[in-house]
Amino acid sequence: MLSVRLASDLQRDSIVDGPGLRMVLWTQGCPHHCPNCHNPQTHDPNGGVSVDVTRIIEEMKQIRLQSGLTLSGGEPFDQSAALIPIAVFAKEEMKLNVWAYSGYTFEELLCDKEKKALLEHIDVLVDGRFIEAQKDYRLRFKGSKNQRIIDVQQSLAKQQVILSAYDEVNQHLDE
Ligand code: SF4
């Protein structure tokens, strides 16, 4: 049976992890160790709790009035195989948009078959490690300027990174 290691329960009603009201899955385990990470408790791959994917999907079915699902962490792409059926269910059955936060860059994710397979079910990716020197509290939906909010489906189709309209406001903060 497929399971995913989570840092906490499935969150609902988040307004900071993408647009609208969102469910958030906080995955446990992160290899990036960005200095001053805001979620250091999620780094240990043996921490948190292991939860059956079917149980998470059953929980999602009970949650109403959400516009999206966000995969965060931790590093969600290190648990790609388990997260694929969750992302597929959210998109196909619940008609939600699916965002993912990753310390890997879009290009790094493309180099790994399993990670790329999850990426193919994501609408928007916020990519790259958190860099303290590039932190800016004014940034929307991301922590540091190096990170990109990427329209994944367009980027895969055109084989180059296409930024999401959600990153537009972040490009003009200093004007
Ligand atoms: S990728 Fe995210 S969770 Fe992982 S160390 Fe960096 S900021 Fe923290």
Side-chain angles (χ1 to χ4, degrees):
M1 195 176 286
L2 263 184
S3 62
V4 60
R5 190 160 279 276
L6 297 179
S8 59
D9 292 338
L10 176 65
Q11 185 185 346
R12 66 183 76 184
D13 298 335
S14 167
I15 56 167
V16 295
D17 302 292
L21 282 184
R22 310 184 69 79
M23 292 183 274
V24 185
L25 263 189
W26 297 98
T27 59
Q28 179 71 28
C30 182
H32 304 300
H33 298 290
C34 309
N36 286 323
C37 164
H38 52 294
N39 275 337
Q41 71 282 3
T42 66
H43 292 184
D44 180 0
N46 299 312
V49 287
S50 181
V51 184
D52 286 346
V53 165
T54 49
R55 201 187 111 190
I56 294 168
I57 289 175
E58 286 306 311
E59 271 184 55
M60 288 166 59
K61 283 183 190 169
Q62 309 303 319
I63 300 177
R64 300 273 179 261
L65 301 175
Q66 308 290 298
S67 55
L69 169 72
T70 298
L71 308 176
S72 191
E75 175 49 68
F77 284 86
D78 280 356
Q79 302 192 69
S80 290
L83 292 175
I84 287 172
I86 295 172
V88 168
F89 184 82
K91 275 174 73 75
E92 308 298 328
E93 302 295 328
M94 299 185 79
K95 309 298 178 200
L96 300 175
N97 64 75
V98 181
W99 281 43
Y101 283 76
S102 177
Y104 297 112
T105 62
F106 180 81
E107 292 82 357
E108 287 173 324
L109 294 173
L110 288 183
C111 293
D112 181 289
K113 199 173 161 193
E114 204 167 282
K115 293 177 175 62
K116 181 169 181 271
L118 173 59
L119 192 63
E120 286 168 354
H121 299 289
I122 303 297
D123 295 302
V124 172
L125 172 76
V126 185
D127 84 335
R129 291 152 187 78
F130 169 70
I131 298 178
E132 175 79 9
Q134 297 191 42
K135 178 174 75 176
D136 189 330
Y137 288 118
R138 298 173 299 169
L139 292 168
R140 192 161 184 237
F141 300 139
K142 62 183 190 179
S144 58
K145 286 181 177 169
N146 61 294
Q147 295 169 322
R148 301 171 295 184
I149 305 177
I150 296 171
D151 182 324
V152 174
Q153 297 306 317
Q154 273 207 61
S155 299
L156 289 174
K158 297 189 175 164
Q159 299 196 340
Q160 66 179 78
V161 169
I162 308 288
L163 292 183
S164 159
Y166 290 107
D167 216 3
E168 190 67 23
V169 64
N170 295 324
Q171 309 302 315
H172 304 286
L173 288 179
D174 296 318
E175 291 176 1

Short mmCIF file of all heavy atoms in Angstrom, two decimals, residues 1-9 25 48-57 59 79 82 86:
data_model
loop_
_atom_site.label_atom_id
_atom_site.label_comp_id
_atom_site.label_asym_id
_atom_site.label_seq_id
_atom_site.Cartn_x
_atom_site.Cartn_y
_atom_site.Cartn_z
N MET A 1 0.85 -1.20 0.00
CA MET A 1 0.00 0.00 0.00
C MET A 1 0.88 1.25 0.00
O MET A 1 1.86 1.33 0.73
CB MET A 1 -0.89 -0.02 1.24
CG MET A 1 -2.04 0.96 1.16
SD MET A 1 -3.16 0.84 2.58
CE MET A 1 -4.01 -0.69 2.21
N LEU A 2 0.53 2.22 -0.82
CA LEU A 2 1.32 3.45 -0.92
C LEU A 2 1.09 4.33 0.29
O LEU A 2 -0.04 4.52 0.73
CB LEU A 2 0.88 4.24 -2.15
CG LEU A 2 1.66 4.12 -3.45
CD1 LEU A 2 1.07 5.08 -4.47
CD2 LEU A 2 3.14 4.33 -3.27
N SER A 3 2.17 4.88 0.81
CA SER A 3 2.01 5.83 1.91
C SER A 3 2.94 7.02 1.69
O SER A 3 3.91 6.93 0.93
CB SER A 3 2.30 5.16 3.26
OG SER A 3 3.63 4.72 3.28
N VAL A 4 2.61 8.10 2.34
CA VAL A 4 3.43 9.31 2.25
C VAL A 4 3.76 9.76 3.67
O VAL A 4 2.94 9.64 4.59
CB VAL A 4 2.70 10.41 1.44
CG1 VAL A 4 1.39 10.82 2.06
CG2 VAL A 4 3.58 11.63 1.23
N ARG A 5 4.99 10.24 3.86
CA ARG A 5 5.39 10.70 5.20
C ARG A 5 5.07 12.19 5.30
O ARG A 5 5.54 13.00 4.49
CB ARG A 5 6.89 10.43 5.43
CG ARG A 5 7.31 10.64 6.86
CD ARG A 5 8.62 9.92 7.18
NE ARG A 5 8.41 8.51 7.48
CZ ARG A 5 8.06 8.02 8.66
NH1 ARG A 5 7.90 8.82 9.68
NH2 ARG A 5 7.89 6.73 8.83
N LEU A 6 4.25 12.52 6.29
CA LEU A 6 3.79 13.90 6.44
C LEU A 6 4.29 14.52 7.73
O LEU A 6 4.47 13.81 8.74
CB LEU A 6 2.25 13.95 6.45
CG LEU A 6 1.53 13.50 5.18
CD1 LEU A 6 0.02 13.59 5.37
CD2 LEU A 6 1.96 14.32 3.97
N ALA A 7 4.49 15.85 7.69
CA ALA A 7 4.92 16.58 8.89
C ALA A 7 3.74 16.90 9.79
O ALA A 7 3.91 17.11 10.99
CB ALA A 7 5.63 17.86 8.47
N SER A 8 2.54 16.99 9.19
CA SER A 8 1.35 17.32 9.98
C SER A 8 0.11 16.87 9.23
O SER A 8 0.19 16.38 8.10
CB SER A 8 1.29 18.83 10.24
OG SER A 8 1.25 19.53 9.03
N ASP A 9 -1.05 17.07 9.86
CA ASP A 9 -2.31 16.70 9.23
C ASP A 9 -2.55 17.53 7.97
O ASP A 9 -1.99 18.61 7.81
CB ASP A 9 -3.48 16.96 10.19
CG ASP A 9 -3.46 16.01 11.38
OD1 ASP A 9 -2.83 14.93 11.26
OD2 ASP A 9 -4.05 16.36 12.42
N LEU A 25 -0.70 19.83 1.82
CA LEU A 25 -0.05 18.62 2.35
C LEU A 25 1.38 18.98 2.68
O LEU A 25 2.17 19.32 1.78
CB LEU A 25 -0.03 17.52 1.30
CG LEU A 25 -1.10 16.44 1.31
CD1 LEU A 25 -0.72 15.36 0.30
CD2 LEU A 25 -1.31 15.84 2.68
N GLY A 48 7.95 12.96 11.48
CA GLY A 48 6.56 13.01 11.04
C GLY A 48 5.86 11.67 11.16
O GLY A 48 6.26 10.82 11.96
N VAL A 49 4.82 11.48 10.38
CA VAL A 49 4.07 10.22 10.41
C VAL A 49 3.81 9.73 8.99
O VAL A 49 3.67 10.52 8.06
CB VAL A 49 2.69 10.40 11.11
CG1 VAL A 49 2.84 10.56 12.60
CG2 VAL A 49 1.92 11.56 10.51
N SER A 50 3.77 8.41 8.86
CA SER A 50 3.48 7.80 7.57
C SER A 50 1.97 7.59 7.45
O SER A 50 1.35 7.01 8.34
CB SER A 50 4.23 6.46 7.48
OG SER A 50 3.98 5.87 6.24
N VAL A 51 1.39 8.07 6.36
CA VAL A 51 -0.07 8.00 6.19
C VAL A 51 -0.39 7.35 4.84
O VAL A 51 0.23 7.69 3.82
CB VAL A 51 -0.70 9.42 6.24
CG1 VAL A 51 -2.21 9.34 6.18
CG2 VAL A 51 -0.25 10.17 7.49
N ASP A 52 -1.37 6.44 4.85
CA ASP A 52 -1.78 5.81 3.59
C ASP A 52 -2.34 6.85 2.62
O ASP A 52 -3.13 7.71 3.02
CB ASP A 52 -2.89 4.78 3.85
CG ASP A 52 -2.34 3.52 4.49
OD1 ASP A 52 -1.10 3.35 4.49
OD2 ASP A 52 -3.15 2.73 5.00
N VAL A 53 -1.95 6.73 1.38
CA VAL A 53 -2.46 7.64 0.35
C VAL A 53 -3.98 7.57 0.26
O VAL A 53 -4.66 8.59 0.11
CB VAL A 53 -1.80 7.29 -1.01
CG1 VAL A 53 -2.54 7.94 -2.16
CG2 VAL A 53 -0.34 7.73 -0.99
N THR A 54 -4.54 6.38 0.40
CA THR A 54 -6.00 6.24 0.30
C THR A 54 -6.69 7.02 1.44
O THR A 54 -7.76 7.59 1.24
CB THR A 54 -6.44 4.77 0.38
OG1 THR A 54 -5.79 4.16 1.49
CG2 THR A 54 -6.08 4.02 -0.88
N ARG A 55 -6.05 7.06 2.61
CA ARG A 55 -6.65 7.80 3.72
C ARG A 55 -6.65 9.30 3.44
O ARG A 55 -7.61 10.01 3.74
CB ARG A 55 -5.88 7.50 5.02
CG ARG A 55 -6.71 7.80 6.26
CD ARG A 55 -5.92 7.68 7.52
NE ARG A 55 -5.72 9.01 8.11
CZ ARG A 55 -4.91 9.26 9.11
NH1 ARG A 55 -4.19 8.28 9.65
NH2 ARG A 55 -4.81 10.46 9.61
N ILE A 56 -5.56 9.77 2.84
CA ILE A 56 -5.48 11.20 2.51
C ILE A 56 -6.57 11.55 1.48
O ILE A 56 -7.26 12.57 1.59
CB ILE A 56 -4.08 11.55 1.97
CG1 ILE A 56 -3.05 11.36 3.07
CG2 ILE A 56 -4.05 12.97 1.42
CD1 ILE A 56 -1.62 11.39 2.61
N ILE A 57 -6.74 10.69 0.49
CA ILE A 57 -7.75 10.95 -0.53
C ILE A 57 -9.15 10.95 0.10
O ILE A 57 -9.99 11.80 -0.23
CB ILE A 57 -7.63 9.93 -1.69
CG1 ILE A 57 -6.35 10.25 -2.49
CG2 ILE A 57 -8.86 9.94 -2.58
CD1 ILE A 57 -6.02 9.27 -3.59
N GLU A 59 -9.85 11.81 3.14
CA GLU A 59 -9.96 13.09 3.88
C GLU A 59 -10.24 14.23 2.93
O GLU A 59 -11.06 15.11 3.22
CB GLU A 59 -8.64 13.38 4.61
CG GLU A 59 -8.55 12.80 6.00
CD GLU A 59 -7.25 13.22 6.68
OE1 GLU A 59 -6.98 14.43 6.77
OE2 GLU A 59 -6.51 12.32 7.09
N GLN A 79 9.01 12.34 -2.58
CA GLN A 79 7.98 11.32 -2.37
C GLN A 79 7.03 11.32 -3.58
O GLN A 79 5.81 11.19 -3.43
CB GLN A 79 7.21 11.59 -1.08
CG GLN A 79 8.12 11.62 0.15
CD GLN A 79 7.32 11.60 1.44
OE1 GLN A 79 6.70 10.61 1.80
NE2 GLN A 79 7.32 12.72 2.14
N ALA A 82 4.26 8.49 -4.34
CA ALA A 82 3.07 8.49 -3.47
C ALA A 82 2.18 9.70 -3.72
O ALA A 82 0.96 9.64 -3.51
CB ALA A 82 3.51 8.46 -2.01
N ILE A 86 -2.45 11.36 -5.47
CA ILE A 86 -3.13 12.45 -4.74
C ILE A 86 -3.33 13.64 -5.68
O ILE A 86 -4.42 14.23 -5.75
CB ILE A 86 -2.31 12.85 -3.50
CG1 ILE A 86 -2.28 11.67 -2.51
CG2 ILE A 86 -2.87 14.10 -2.85
CD1 ILE A 86 -1.36 11.86 -1.32
#
